[in-house]
């Protein structure tokens, strides 16, 4: 008596479907019940990739190498034995090709600030698979929860400059699903903007008034001195 095979399960042996370029991966195709021997066939987008003949119910292991973006298409496997009519198909799997992130850039519209001013910091990694999570730091202390960006846009934090300590060194950190790929940004420091003295505008105004007075006096001299000179003749 030959028992019909159960639908096989297709799983990644490495435990994740996130892959990088030129990575070796292994897919396991396994029917846990049915009469052996079993023939497993792996397909990618309905195209046959490889076939394994197993004498028992041991999983069939398919070794692959991700060489291009086309290698992350849909995979399925088929299990057949001598009692199969057409075979049984597994679930489908799709790999996700991930790219390591580049060093993020921390920037601000202004590098100078004064006490009582609101400022903005932007953190952006130009390259890397989305989503990307950002965290802002002042010194070694985090000053924001993780900000997950689903688009290639900068994470933003708004700060209030309230004391001299707020002019410390700022950084941000970026990471994505690529393993062990955390990157820190450049350092950024706000500098204290020198406040102009309140007396300076007054001095400038008085100087302009004095200059106008001198010019006016010089222009008036001909009208007062020349007639007086003629009258004395």
């Amino acid at each position: 008596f030959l028992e019909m095979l159960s639908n096989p399960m297709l799983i990644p042996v490495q435990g994740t479907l996130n892959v990088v370029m030129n990575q070796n991966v292994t897919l396991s195709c396994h029917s846990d019940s049915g009469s052996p021997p079993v023939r497993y066939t792996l397909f990618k987008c309905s195209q046959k990739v490889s076939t394994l003949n197993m004498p028992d119910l041991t999983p069939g292991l398919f070794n692959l190498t991700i060489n291009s973006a086309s290698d992350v298409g849909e995979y399925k496997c088929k299990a057949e034995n001598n009692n199969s009519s057409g075979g049984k198909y597994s679930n489908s799997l799709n790999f996700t090709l991930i790219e390591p992130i580049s060093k993020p850039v921390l920037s601000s519209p202004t590098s100078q600030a004064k006490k009582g001013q609101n400022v903005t910091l932007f953190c952006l990694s130009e390259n890397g698979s989305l989503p990307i999570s950002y965290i802002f730091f002042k010194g070694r202390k985090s000053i924001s929860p993780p900000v997950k960006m689903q688009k290639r846009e900068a994470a933003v934090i708004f700060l209030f400059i309230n004391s001299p300590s707020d002019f410390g060194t700022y950084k941000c950190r970026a990471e994505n699903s690529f393993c062990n790929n955390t990157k820190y940004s450049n350092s950024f420091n706000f500098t204290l903007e020198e406040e102009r003295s309140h007396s300076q505008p007054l001095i400038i105004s008085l100087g302009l008034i004095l200059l106008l007075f001198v010019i006016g006096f010089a222009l008036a001299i001909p009208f007062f001195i020349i007639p007086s000179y003629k009258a004395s003749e």
Side-chain angles (χ1 to χ4, degrees):
F1 174 74
L2 294 177
E3 183 183 358
M4 186 175 295
L5 291 169
S6 61
N7 285 83
M9 286 292 297
L10 184 65
I11 61 172
V13 173
Q14 65 272 15
T16 177
L17 291 172
N18 293 330
V19 295
V20 297
M21 199 68 74
N22 301 318
Q23 180 178 337
N24 295 320
V25 297
T26 301
L27 292 178
S28 169
C29 184
H30 181 221
S31 288
D32 59 8
S33 65
S35 298
V38 184
R39 182 169 64 253
Y40 293 111
T41 305
L42 182 69
F43 295 87
K44 183 176 75 69
C45 301
S46 302
Q47 298 294 318
K48 185 167 71 173
V49 176
S50 181
T51 298
L52 294 173
N53 292 302
M54 308 303 296
D56 50 28
L57 292 180
T58 302
L61 301 179
F62 296 94
N63 297 310
L64 308 171
T65 301
I66 305 300
N67 290 315
S68 66
S70 63
D71 292 329
V72 298
E74 182 186 66
Y75 287 86
K76 282 188 176 184
C77 71
K78 181 173 72 171
E80 301 172 277
N81 66 2
N82 295 330
N83 192 36
S84 299
S85 56
K88 294 293 186 69
Y89 284 88
S90 73
N91 55 296
S92 60
L93 291 180
N94 284 276
F95 289 107
T96 299
L97 187 63
I98 59 174
E99 178 188 3
I101 55 175
S102 59
K103 180 179 178 179
V105 175
L106 184 64
S107 62
S108 175
T110 179
S111 61
Q112 292 188 326
K114 55 188 177 182
K115 187 176 179 180
Q117 181 178 343
N118 292 307
V119 294
T120 307
L121 283 173
F122 298 93
C123 184
L124 176 64
S125 286
E126 291 286 353
N127 299 302
S129 301
L130 299 169
I132 299 177
S133 292
Y134 298 93
I135 298 179
F136 292 87
F137 293 83
K138 186 169 77 67
R140 295 184 178 181
K141 182 180 179 182
S142 64
I143 56 173
S144 75
V147 181
K148 182 174 287 189
M149 303 301 295
Q150 302 288 345
K151 297 181 180 180
R152 189 75 61 190
E153 297 175 348
V156 183
I157 188 173
F158 302 98
L159 304 172
F160 180 67
I161 303 299
N162 192 44
S163 66
S165 64
D166 294 329
F167 290 92
T169 300
Y170 292 87
K171 281 190 175 185
C172 68
R173 186 180 75 195
E175 58 187 3
N176 63 1
S177 56
F178 193 99
C179 295
N180 302 318
N181 185 233
T182 297
K183 296 287 182 69
Y184 284 87
S185 72
N186 54 295
S187 299
F188 190 92
N189 290 76
F190 292 103
T191 57
L192 180 63
E193 181 181 352
E194 295 184 4
E195 296 187 15
R196 298 175 62 181
S197 173
H198 294 295
S199 60
Q200 190 174 7
L202 179 61
I203 294 173
I204 294 174
S205 298
L206 291 175
L208 290 173
I209 293 173
L210 179 60
L211 179 62
L212 291 173
F213 178 77
V214 171
I215 293 173
F217 181 75
L219 293 174
I221 287 177
F223 296 99
F224 288 100
I225 295 181
I226 295 176
S228 299
Y229 176 77
K230 288 183 177 180
S232 62
E233 289 182 349

